[in-house]
Amino acid sequence: MRLNHLDFYVPDIAATADFFLRYFGLELREMSERVGRAILYDDQGTEVVLSRPLSKFAGADQVELEWQTYHLGFILAERSDVDRLHGRLAADGATVSGPPSAIRGGWLFYCAAPGNILVEVGWRPPL
């Protein structure tokens, strides 16, 4: 068994998709403003779906809720990759938690993607 997809409700699908394409190397599979959905995927085949909130499912996005109720984590190959990505995000004005630091045996930081999605970016030494 493997994880197939994650679906996040966001108010601005295009801005959120652009963030994940630009900074995390996800690929765009489908973008439909009419339907209100973008489907992105990573190099392992996991889909990240960005959707408008659906009232029939009592959905709301994290901007509307004014809370970050979950987070998404990315592991990078090298500790220096974490530092480089932090620098790019900070230079581009993204909301970052501060500089990368040693947390739970790894090297990481947090940032906020459009749609108020909390993103953890880290590296862990090989076991």
Side-chain angles (χ1 to χ4, degrees):
M1 182 184 311
R2 72 174 184 81
L3 180 64
N4 178 55
H5 73 276
L6 301 165
D7 191 342
F8 300 106
Y9 290 160
V10 297
D12 188 337
I13 294 167
T16 307
D18 181 63
F19 182 87
F20 286 112
L21 297 171
R22 176 178 297 152
Y23 296 110
F24 295 97
L26 299 183
E27 299 288 329
L28 181 64
R29 178 166 291 152
E30 175 188 322
M31 173 75 84
S32 174
E33 289 295 327
R34 182 184 60 76
V35 174
R37 179 181 61 223
I39 299 175
L40 314 174
Y41 63 97
D42 69 8
D43 59 1
Q44 301 297 308
T46 303
E47 291 184 347
V48 174
V49 181
L50 306 171
S51 304
R52 284 192 301 251
L54 299 173
S55 58
K56 69 180 180 181
F57 297 128
D61 62 65
Q62 293 194 121
V63 172
E64 183 181 348
L65 292 173
E66 298 179 354
W67 290 83
Q68 290 175 322
T69 58
Y70 53 81
H71 77 273
L72 179 63
F74 290 93
I75 290 289
L76 302 180
E78 303 291 334
R79 179 177 165 153
S80 60
D81 294 336
V82 174
D83 295 328
R84 257 190 305 282
L85 183 53
H86 179 273
R88 282 182 59 209
L89 287 161
D92 289 348
T95 302
V96 294
S97 61
S101 59
I103 301 174
R104 296 184 311 280
W107 186 248
L108 59 94
F109 70 93
Y110 293 88
C111 65
N116 201 28
I117 298 172
L118 185 62
V119 179
E120 177 182 315
V121 180
W123 166 85
R124 299 211 186 282
L127 298 174

mmCIF file of all heavy atoms in Angstrom, residues 53-69:
data_model
loop_
_atom_site.group_PDB
_atom_site.id
_atom_site.type_symbol
_atom_site.label_atom_id
_atom_site.label_comp_id
_atom_site.label_asym_id
_atom_site.label_seq_id
_atom_site.Cartn_x
_atom_site.Cartn_y
_atom_site.Cartn_z
ATOM 1 N N PRO A 53 -12.838 24.922 -1.481
ATOM 2 C CA PRO A 53 -13.633 24.257 -0.439
ATOM 3 C C PRO A 53 -15.025 23.923 -0.967
ATOM 4 O O PRO A 53 -15.632 24.698 -1.698
ATOM 5 C CB PRO A 53 -13.717 25.299 0.673
ATOM 6 C CG PRO A 53 -12.571 26.214 0.426
ATOM 7 C CD PRO A 53 -12.366 26.236 -1.054
ATOM 8 N N LEU A 54 -15.519 22.752 -0.602
ATOM 9 C CA LEU A 54 -16.844 22.311 -1.033
ATOM 10 C C LEU A 54 -17.796 22.347 0.149
ATOM 11 O O LEU A 54 -17.613 21.622 1.134
ATOM 12 C CB LEU A 54 -16.767 20.892 -1.606
ATOM 13 C CG LEU A 54 -15.858 20.735 -2.826
ATOM 14 C CD1 LEU A 54 -15.728 19.258 -3.196
ATOM 15 C CD2 LEU A 54 -16.367 21.549 -3.992
ATOM 16 N N SER A 55 -18.816 23.174 0.056
ATOM 17 C CA SER A 55 -19.755 23.307 1.170
ATOM 18 C C SER A 55 -20.506 22.008 1.457
ATOM 19 O O SER A 55 -20.847 21.733 2.600
ATOM 20 C CB SER A 55 -20.739 24.447 0.907
ATOM 21 O OG SER A 55 -21.442 24.218 -0.296
ATOM 22 N N LYS A 56 -20.740 21.184 0.437
ATOM 23 C CA LYS A 56 -21.459 19.939 0.678
ATOM 24 C C LYS A 56 -20.665 18.977 1.566
ATOM 25 O O LYS A 56 -21.219 18.056 2.135
ATOM 26 C CB LYS A 56 -21.854 19.254 -0.634
ATOM 27 C CG LYS A 56 -20.719 18.686 -1.442
ATOM 28 C CD LYS A 56 -21.263 18.047 -2.719
ATOM 29 C CE LYS A 56 -20.157 17.467 -3.562
ATOM 30 N NZ LYS A 56 -20.659 16.870 -4.785
ATOM 31 N N PHE A 57 -19.346 19.218 1.678
ATOM 32 C CA PHE A 57 -18.513 18.436 2.590
ATOM 33 C C PHE A 57 -18.132 19.246 3.818
ATOM 34 O O PHE A 57 -17.213 18.895 4.546
ATOM 35 C CB PHE A 57 -17.248 17.941 1.894
ATOM 36 C CG PHE A 57 -17.511 17.013 0.749
ATOM 37 C CD1 PHE A 57 -16.954 17.247 -0.490
ATOM 38 C CD2 PHE A 57 -18.316 15.890 0.910
ATOM 39 C CE1 PHE A 57 -17.190 16.393 -1.554
ATOM 40 C CE2 PHE A 57 -18.560 15.034 -0.149
ATOM 41 C CZ PHE A 57 -17.996 15.284 -1.382
ATOM 42 N N ALA A 58 -18.836 20.358 4.049
ATOM 43 C CA ALA A 58 -18.559 21.263 5.172
ATOM 44 C C ALA A 58 -17.119 21.745 5.133
ATOM 45 O O ALA A 58 -16.482 21.912 6.162
ATOM 46 C CB ALA A 58 -18.880 20.593 6.506
ATOM 47 N N GLY A 59 -16.602 21.969 3.934
ATOM 48 C CA GLY A 59 -15.201 22.352 3.774
ATOM 49 C C GLY A 59 -14.963 23.832 3.973
ATOM 50 O O GLY A 59 -15.814 24.664 3.705
ATOM 51 N N ALA A 60 -13.776 24.117 4.460
ATOM 52 C CA ALA A 60 -13.289 25.481 4.587
ATOM 53 C C ALA A 60 -11.781 25.423 4.427
ATOM 54 O O ALA A 60 -11.147 24.422 4.740
ATOM 55 C CB ALA A 60 -13.653 26.065 5.947
ATOM 56 N N ASP A 61 -11.206 26.496 3.908
ATOM 57 C CA ASP A 61 -9.757 26.517 3.788
ATOM 58 C C ASP A 61 -9.152 27.130 5.051
ATOM 59 O O ASP A 61 -9.848 27.698 5.880
ATOM 60 C CB ASP A 61 -9.328 27.275 2.520
ATOM 61 C CG ASP A 61 -9.752 28.734 2.542
ATOM 62 O OD1 ASP A 61 -9.249 29.485 3.396
ATOM 63 O OD2 ASP A 61 -10.580 29.114 1.692
ATOM 64 N N GLN A 62 -7.836 27.004 5.183
ATOM 65 C CA GLN A 62 -7.175 27.458 6.403
ATOM 66 C C GLN A 62 -7.099 28.976 6.504
ATOM 67 O O GLN A 62 -6.938 29.507 7.591
ATOM 68 C CB GLN A 62 -5.785 26.823 6.515
ATOM 69 C CG GLN A 62 -5.899 25.332 6.728
ATOM 70 C CD GLN A 62 -4.615 24.699 7.182
ATOM 71 O OE1 GLN A 62 -4.583 24.107 8.240
ATOM 72 N NE2 GLN A 62 -3.560 24.821 6.403
ATOM 73 N N VAL A 63 -7.226 29.688 5.390
ATOM 74 C CA VAL A 63 -7.304 31.146 5.450
ATOM 75 C C VAL A 63 -8.624 31.544 6.087
ATOM 76 O O VAL A 63 -8.683 32.367 6.992
ATOM 77 C CB VAL A 63 -7.145 31.771 4.049
ATOM 78 C CG1 VAL A 63 -7.418 33.263 4.090
ATOM 79 C CG2 VAL A 63 -5.748 31.485 3.490
ATOM 80 N N GLU A 64 -9.702 30.924 5.618
ATOM 81 C CA GLU A 64 -11.040 31.188 6.168
ATOM 82 C C GLU A 64 -11.114 30.808 7.644
ATOM 83 O O GLU A 64 -11.697 31.510 8.461
ATOM 84 C CB GLU A 64 -12.073 30.410 5.357
ATOM 85 C CG GLU A 64 -13.506 30.649 5.757
ATOM 86 C CD GLU A 64 -14.477 29.815 4.920
ATOM 87 O OE1 GLU A 64 -14.081 29.229 3.902
ATOM 88 O OE2 GLU A 64 -15.650 29.766 5.316
ATOM 89 N N LEU A 65 -10.503 29.672 7.988
ATOM 90 C CA LEU A 65 -10.529 29.215 9.377
ATOM 91 C C LEU A 65 -9.629 30.041 10.291
ATOM 92 O O LEU A 65 -9.818 30.064 11.499
ATOM 93 C CB LEU A 65 -10.062 27.749 9.454
ATOM 94 C CG LEU A 65 -10.965 26.706 8.839
ATOM 95 C CD1 LEU A 65 -10.276 25.346 8.844
ATOM 96 C CD2 LEU A 65 -12.296 26.636 9.562
ATOM 97 N N GLU A 66 -8.620 30.687 9.694
ATOM 98 C CA GLU A 66 -7.609 31.451 10.434
ATOM 99 C C GLU A 66 -6.801 30.558 11.366
ATOM 100 O O GLU A 66 -6.333 30.981 12.423
ATOM 101 C CB GLU A 66 -8.227 32.630 11.179
ATOM 102 C CG GLU A 66 -8.880 33.632 10.253
ATOM 103 C CD GLU A 66 -9.512 34.798 10.975
ATOM 104 O OE1 GLU A 66 -9.564 34.814 12.218
ATOM 105 O OE2 GLU A 66 -9.955 35.719 10.276
ATOM 106 N N TRP A 67 -6.628 29.287 10.979
ATOM 107 C CA TRP A 67 -5.847 28.308 11.731
ATOM 108 C C TRP A 67 -5.026 27.486 10.752
ATOM 109 O O TRP A 67 -5.430 27.288 9.616
ATOM 110 C CB TRP A 67 -6.762 27.333 12.478
ATOM 111 C CG TRP A 67 -7.509 27.913 13.617
ATOM 112 C CD1 TRP A 67 -8.686 28.600 13.554
ATOM 113 C CD2 TRP A 67 -7.157 27.871 14.991
ATOM 114 N NE1 TRP A 67 -9.083 28.969 14.799
ATOM 115 C CE2 TRP A 67 -8.164 28.528 15.714
ATOM 116 C CE3 TRP A 67 -6.084 27.318 15.684
ATOM 117 C CZ2 TRP A 67 -8.120 28.667 17.088
ATOM 118 C CZ3 TRP A 67 -6.049 27.448 17.054
ATOM 119 C CH2 TRP A 67 -7.062 28.129 17.747
ATOM 120 N N GLN A 68 -3.913 26.979 11.229
ATOM 121 C CA GLN A 68 -3.176 25.960 10.488
ATOM 122 C C GLN A 68 -3.460 24.650 11.205
ATOM 123 O O GLN A 68 -2.977 24.426 12.310
ATOM 124 C CB GLN A 68 -1.683 26.270 10.451
ATOM 125 C CG GLN A 68 -1.379 27.469 9.575
ATOM 126 C CD GLN A 68 0.077 27.866 9.620
ATOM 127 O OE1 GLN A 68 0.708 27.798 10.658
ATOM 128 N NE2 GLN A 68 0.600 28.298 8.494
ATOM 129 N N THR A 69 -4.272 23.820 10.594
ATOM 130 C CA THR A 69 -4.746 22.608 11.265
ATOM 131 C C THR A 69 -3.950 21.357 10.874
ATOM 132 O O THR A 69 -4.230 20.282 11.375
ATOM 133 C CB THR A 69 -6.233 22.373 10.956
ATOM 134 O OG1 THR A 69 -6.399 22.270 9.535
ATOM 135 C CG2 THR A 69 -7.087 23.513 11.491
#
